[in-house]
Amino acid sequence: MELTKEFYEAAEKSFDSDRANTVAMNAVMNNGLKKSATVAQTAWDLPHTYSISLKQGDITAQKQSGRCWMFAALNVMRYDIIHSLNLKTFELSQSYPLFYDKLEKSNYFLESILQTLDEPTNGRLISYLLQSPVGDGGQWDMFANLVRKYGVVPKDAMPESVPSSSTRDLCSVLTEKLRTYACQLRTAHAKGASMEELQSKKAEMMDEVYRILTICLGKPPKTFDFAVRDKDDNYITEKQITPLEFFDKYVGWNLDDYVSLINAPTADKPYHRSYSVKFLGNVVEGKMVRYLNLPADMLKEAAIAQLKDGRPVWFGCDVGKCSSREGGLMDLDAYDLESLLNVDFPMTKAERLDYGHSQMTHAMVFQGVDLDENDKPVRWRVENSWGKDAGKDGYYVMSDDWFTEYNYQVLVNKKYLPAECIAEYEAEPIMLEPWDPMGSLAQMQ
């Protein structure tokens, strides 16, 4: 169909025939789409009150970085430290895992390049690997691999730096270097270099990556002194403890007890099956990213069971859909774009995944839930990592319908799952392609 003069005349006539179009045009041109479409009633229908509400420390801020998955994981862990030591608040270092994630991701990327030397440079796989070799985003299993290898430290043992709080320049420099390295390794292979020679070149490259990271983020501590005062002014101290010792003593999790549940209702991913994603990871020798795909109601049941037991829940969602920073609302009725624009948006959750309109973009923490008289969820209390000015004092409220449509992942302890689900999770995973939407990394800033 050609867009002719007759098309424009008919379209303009149709537009002018309904005065609501002119009203909408004036509102949007002066206020923007979202503000013009905001539904005031939604805030009244979603109060920040809950039948189950856990008490957390001060809200955290990832600033201009995509470390939400780290912040969310550390926020879940610090909850245990705060309550076990009777602290008012406490924060674990987010710069510490950032250093090792960038280092390990660089190594993982270069190993992936060495595994794919005979793939065409303009093919889909190499193009995908080169797209974002060392971005800020990540998945729970990637964080767990870092903790297994490097432990965790208090924030004052490795504080923030300008590059850790605003990672764009660091990511840009590392990305350019890694693409250069990929070019050099593939060129050397084409000229007949042996794998031994390529690995030697890679070792030199990793030395440069370490130097860049240390200049930008500082040297991660090998040991440190830990000292805090609890609510009763008791002094708690530990001298020259290692990061792994600190994790074992003050967090004390068995990381293997935690399972990632996803809700991906697409035809290519049957429920009650285990999945992983090719070329997705950070620590080469670490455990693979693994999910169990279940109906949304089963994710909710597991998350509620953990919250009832007084434990927060890490989760991943598409935070940009139907959500507002003002007041911290996550609700399908937050905006009425359909009425404003006189159109509809009928895609299902599965269709949005299949057609690239939605995927996991951000990780946060459930710190509560409001249950009705039938013990069913009405709304969820969400701890974000965008500072106190986002949402209501840093917290968001999520309607249960929003959870169904835009929440994709929850992390729960195995003890809150039926035995058959654990067996399904531990079964040989179906390997998804690297560009599958379930391979997306939480990194919303």
Side-chain angles (χ1 to χ4, degrees):
M1 168 186 166
E2 180 184 351
L3 298 183
T4 62
K5 177 182 178 182
E6 289 74 20
F7 163 81
Y8 288 107
E9 289 175 349
E12 184 177 6
K13 183 177 181 181
S14 175
F15 183 93
D16 292 340
S17 68
D18 188 343
R19 69 190 184 97
N21 292 330
T22 300
V23 173
M25 177 180 69
N26 290 332
V28 173
M29 289 183 68
N30 283 289
N31 300 289
L33 271 171
K34 281 195 169 182
K35 190 171 183 179
S36 300
T38 297
V39 179
Q41 182 70 34
T42 301
W44 306 350
D45 294 338
L46 280 177
H48 286 260
T49 55
Y50 311 87
S51 55
I52 298 172
S53 185
L54 307 184
K55 187 173 179 59
Q56 176 65 297
D58 294 343
I59 208 73
T60 58
Q62 65 190 79
K63 298 184 180 178
Q64 286 75 51
S65 73
R67 297 173 291 166
C68 58
W69 57 295
M70 292 181 177
F71 271 75
L74 292 167
N75 282 338
V76 174
M77 289 180 176
R78 77 182 176 123
Y79 179 90
D80 286 359
I81 298 173
I82 289 169
H83 287 268
S84 65
L85 297 182
N86 190 34
L87 305 179
K88 180 180 179 182
T89 192
F90 181 76
E91 204 166 335
L92 290 162
S93 171
Q94 302 92 3
S95 183
Y96 180 78
L98 176 68
F99 180 99
Y100 287 116
D101 182 59
K102 296 296 188 195
L103 190 67
E104 292 283 358
K105 272 181 183 165
S106 298
N107 186 56
Y108 191 96
F109 168 76
L110 294 176
E111 285 295 322
S112 297
I113 291 298
L114 293 177
Q115 291 175 36
T116 56
L117 290 169
D118 294 322
E119 291 282 335
T121 304
N122 62 351
R124 186 171 189 181
L125 178 55
I126 298 301
S127 296
Y128 179 84
L129 293 177
L130 293 173
Q131 182 179 324
S132 182
V134 69
D136 281 353
Q139 276 281 353
W140 160 257
D141 288 304
M142 295 163 66
F143 181 80
N145 281 334
L146 295 174
V147 175
R148 287 188 186 97
K149 190 169 181 178
Y150 301 108
V152 296
V153 304
K155 190 156 190 172
D156 57 10
M158 188 168 180
E160 292 288 286
S161 63
V162 170
S164 70
S165 297
S166 182
T167 54
R168 177 177 296 178
D169 289 344
L170 173 58
C171 287
S172 178
V173 168
L174 287 175
T175 296
E176 182 174 359
K177 287 303 299 180
L178 289 171
R179 288 172 178 162
T180 301
Y181 296 154
C183 175
Q184 292 170 345
L185 290 172
R186 289 173 62 82
T187 300
H189 169 69
K191 293 180 178 179
S194 67
M195 184 56 69
E196 184 179 359
E197 291 171 325
L198 296 178
Q199 285 287 357
S200 178
K201 288 180 180 292
K202 197 203 87 168
E204 296 173 2
M205 295 168 179
M206 286 304 303
D207 182 69
E208 287 189 344
V209 171
Y210 177 86
R211 180 163 66 250
I212 293 169
L213 288 171
T214 304
I215 289 170
C216 293
L217 303 175
K219 290 183 180 180
K222 297 176 182 177
T223 62
F224 58 92
D225 292 342
F226 172 55
V228 291
R229 284 192 179 273
D230 67 13
K231 293 178 182 177
D232 301 320
D233 206 34
N234 296 311
Y235 187 58
I236 302 165
T237 185
E238 188 95 31
K239 300 296 184 182
Q240 292 302 292
I241 189 170
T242 71
L244 283 169
E245 289 169 344
F246 182 84
F247 173 76
D248 290 339
K249 182 170 183 177
Y250 292 99
V251 180
W253 288 14
N254 179 356
L255 294 168
D256 294 337
D257 285 343
Y258 287 83
V259 173
S260 284
L261 308 179
I262 61 168
N263 175 240
T266 51
D268 64 329
K269 297 182 185 70
Y271 286 143
H272 299 283
R273 297 293 301 272
S274 176
Y275 296 88
S276 188
V277 183
K278 300 173 185 175
F279 294 101
L280 178 63
N282 53 357
V283 179
V284 169
E285 72 277 17
K287 294 192 175 184
M288 69 170 65
V289 171
R290 185 190 291 255
Y291 317 116
L292 174 63
N293 193 21
L294 295 174
D297 284 347
M298 294 190 72
L299 270 67
K300 296 175 186 180
E301 290 168 5
I304 290 169
Q306 188 159 305
L307 287 167
K308 282 184 173 181
D309 204 22
R311 320 293 295 185
V313 177
W314 185 103
F315 73 94
C317 67
D318 190 352
V319 72
K321 302 294 192 295
C322 303
S323 68
S324 169
R325 287 196 182 214
E326 187 174 347
L329 300 177
M330 305 170 77
D331 186 84
L332 302 183
D333 295 324
Y335 306 102
D336 188 5
L337 288 165
E338 290 86 349
S339 296
L340 180 68
L341 301 174
N342 194 21
V343 297
D344 59 9
F345 299 98
M347 280 200 294
T348 65
K349 187 174 189 177
E351 289 167 341
R352 288 192 293 269
L353 286 170
D354 282 339
Y355 285 83
H357 185 64
S358 185
Q359 61 182 16
M360 188 179 79
T361 59
H362 190 51
M364 296 181 282
V365 179
F366 287 130
Q367 290 285 3
V369 62
D370 190 58
L371 303 175
D372 65 15
E373 61 276 9
N374 298 312
D375 218 28
K376 297 298 182 183
V378 177
R379 56 185 174 270
W380 300 77
R381 182 175 185 243
V382 176
E383 178 190 8
N384 203 352
S385 55
W386 290 346
K388 291 189 67 175
D389 293 336
K392 183 177 180 181
D393 297 325
Y395 282 85
Y396 280 53
V397 55
M398 176 195 297
S399 72
D400 190 59
D401 288 340
W402 196 98
F403 185 123
T404 301
E405 292 298 320
Y406 292 111
N407 201 43
Y408 290 108
Q409 184 177 3
V410 299
L411 179 79
V412 296
N413 193 293
K414 289 180 181 179
K415 65 183 178 181
Y416 304 112
L417 293 174
E420 56 268 26
C421 285
I422 298 171
E424 291 163 356
Y425 171 81
E426 293 175 347
E428 186 68 23
I430 296 170
M431 299 302 297
L432 303 174
E433 295 299 330
W435 40 84
D436 189 276
M438 288 301 105
S440 64
L441 300 178
Q443 56 186 326
M444 190 81 174
Q445 297 181 20

